[in-house]
Amino acid sequence: MAEPAVDYAAVFQALPGAVALVTPQLIFADANAEFLRLRGLPREQVVGRFLPEDQPENNSAEPLLLRVLASLRRAVDTGERSTVALQRVDVEDDDQPGVWHERYFNVTNIPVFGPDGRMTLLLHRLEDVTELIRARDVALTLQEAMLPAPRPVGRHSAAVRYRPAAQALNVAGDWYDLVDLPGDRIAVAVGDVVGHGLPAACIMGQLRSALTAASLDPEGPARALEVLGLYARTIDGAENTTVATAFIDWENHTITYSSAGHPPPVLLHRDGTVEFLDQATDPPLAARPQHGPRIQAVAAFHEGAVLVLYTDGLIERRGEDIDTGLARLADSLARHRAGDPEALADAVLTDLLPPGDATDDTALVILRL
């Protein structure tokens, strides 16, 4: 049976995304209907024209044009895909001349090669991600509203940070909390809900509030996580959440801690020695078929030490062993140990999350003991 003929020109025009074909000399060879609609131009004003001539006449478009041209030339020079992510452009309203709307685009340029291996065209794709950005902003606002504001904890100084992933379109469910306990004690916790967006932010808020209440149980952090695990089983999407919590007792100079599948807290001693608190790690919340008790461990500290809790976005990188990230964190803490919690938090983020390099959200708590 003969294979049906495919009308690729019709397929190109029917693509739901905005796509144009550009020659290596940056001349438009074709554009599909969605590209023309997005640009607000008829086909005869696009095809055959030099790409820089085909730009909207508004100030916000000029920086985008320069980045797009650089990306196209990079694709021509290297023969590899080139992307320009999350660029803002003000677009005039079709129905209200003179009214402009803020829009966000991803731009991708993909080389197309002929049978002889020579580059013949570039596939130039515009992806309107404005609605995704707006949804992310809503989720970020909700998440920030549910996270506690930085504040002194008793007589002890603490620094907290939340860093969203670079160029991410969805907020994650990372959180932190500090809770005053009876006596000269506090509870510190960080957690990470699986997933992104508003659902993860909502689950995060419920779990953080529940853990705050459970931390008042005098039996300690293991019991608090046990209660939280029971609660997590009643919330869709809360399973496999990771949490680490530590109860600090200044009268006895001890840290009692427990972890539900979370990266270990770090105890930075005054001499620069770094101790990972990894002796009380159980599976994430609601991950086991049957609910069961959790374990906890105790570590001693001297006045002036530093306790650090964080989420995995601080240390994990694709294709890299987690021990490498933990070593990077330990090195940064040791080098900057003389700083106060605020300075130390900034230094750690600078060392471990260079601008534009974070691939996951990060929560961080640093407490001088």
Side-chain angles (χ1 to χ4, degrees):
M1 182 178 178
E3 294 183 1
V6 177
D7 187 343
Y8 288 101
V11 172
F12 177 74
Q13 289 300 324
L15 289 173
V19 180
L21 296 176
V22 180
T23 70
Q25 294 74 37
L26 307 189
I27 304 294
F28 278 109
D30 203 353
N32 73 351
E34 180 61 17
F35 186 93
L36 297 174
R37 185 201 67 78
L38 191 62
R39 293 304 324 282
L41 294 172
R43 189 172 186 277
E44 57 270 18
Q45 291 187 22
V46 175
V47 176
R49 298 187 64 173
F50 185 47
L51 188 143
E53 299 173 353
D54 176 54
Q55 300 299 320
E57 296 181 358
N58 67 83
N59 292 334
S60 71
E62 184 175 351
L64 174 60
L65 172 60
L66 295 177
R67 295 186 185 98
V68 169
L69 289 175
S71 174
L72 283 162
R73 289 171 178 140
R74 187 162 54 247
V76 171
D77 293 340
T78 65
E80 298 178 353
R81 175 191 301 241
S82 179
T83 300
V84 185
L86 292 184
Q87 301 300 310
R88 173 184 166 177
V89 177
D90 292 332
V91 178
E92 190 170 15
D93 193 300
D94 292 336
D95 301 319
Q96 303 178 72
V99 176
W100 297 81
H101 298 290
E102 183 179 288
R103 310 294 295 181
Y104 289 88
F105 295 89
N106 288 336
V107 182
T108 305
N109 299 302
I110 305 172
V112 179
F113 298 93
D116 59 358
R118 296 174 57 189
M119 185 187 307
T120 58
L121 292 167
L122 293 164
L123 191 149
H124 176 62
R125 179 173 181 260
L126 302 181
E127 180 185 14
D128 188 341
V129 295
T130 305
E131 297 308 317
L132 290 175
I133 293 299
R134 288 174 179 165
R136 178 181 187 267
D137 290 342
V138 170
L140 274 171
T141 301
L142 174 62
Q143 184 176 41
E144 290 172 357
M146 290 189 292
L147 291 175
R151 61 181 178 84
V153 184
R155 61 184 176 85
H156 309 286
S157 58
V160 296
R161 297 288 189 274
Y162 173 75
R163 175 78 63 86
Q167 300 181 342
L169 298 182
N170 282 309
V171 67
D174 296 35
W175 89 84
Y176 58 82
D177 204 3
L178 297 96
V179 182
D180 288 308
L181 300 176
D184 196 5
R185 300 187 305 137
I186 67 167
V188 185
V190 293
D192 188 358
V193 174
V194 175
H196 295 82
L198 285 172
C202 292
I203 295 168
M204 174 272 289
Q206 295 177 77
L207 293 179
R208 188 190 71 81
S209 297
L211 182 57
T212 299
S215 295
L216 300 176
D217 189 307
E219 294 186 33
R223 177 59 178 166
L225 290 186
E226 184 180 338
V227 171
L228 184 65
L230 282 170
Y231 180 59
R233 290 177 180 273
T234 71
I235 303 174
D236 289 340
E239 61 275 2
N240 293 314
T241 293
T242 67
V243 189
T245 184
F247 286 24
I248 305 166
D249 186 330
W250 272 275
E251 183 177 344
N252 297 317
H253 285 81
T254 58
I255 301 169
T256 306
Y257 63 93
S258 184
S259 174
H262 201 82
V266 182
L267 180 59
L268 173 64
H269 297 281
R270 288 180 299 177
D271 63 359
T273 302
V274 172
E275 179 182 356
F276 288 101
L277 305 184
D278 57 4
Q279 300 303 302
T281 300
D282 275 334
L285 300 181
R288 292 184 286 203
Q290 300 295 325
H291 180 74
R294 291 185 175 272
I295 60 174
Q296 62 187 34
V298 180
F301 70 88
H302 294 285
E303 187 172 348
V306 173
L307 181 65
V308 181
L309 285 81
Y310 52 94
T311 54
D312 59 8
L314 184 68
I315 58 167
E316 291 188 352
R317 300 292 181 272
R318 292 189 182 95
E320 181 180 271
D321 188 272
I322 190 173
D323 288 341
T324 302
L326 291 173
R328 190 162 46 235
L329 173 59
D331 175 71
S332 178
L333 290 170
R335 285 188 291 107
H336 302 292
R337 65 183 181 275
D340 62 26
E342 294 292 337
L344 185 53
D346 290 339
V348 167
L349 290 178
T350 298
D351 286 350
L352 273 69
L353 299 179
D357 192 45
T359 58
D360 193 7
D361 289 26
T362 295
L364 174 67
V365 180
I366 295 183
L367 183 69
R368 179 72 70 177
L369 302 177

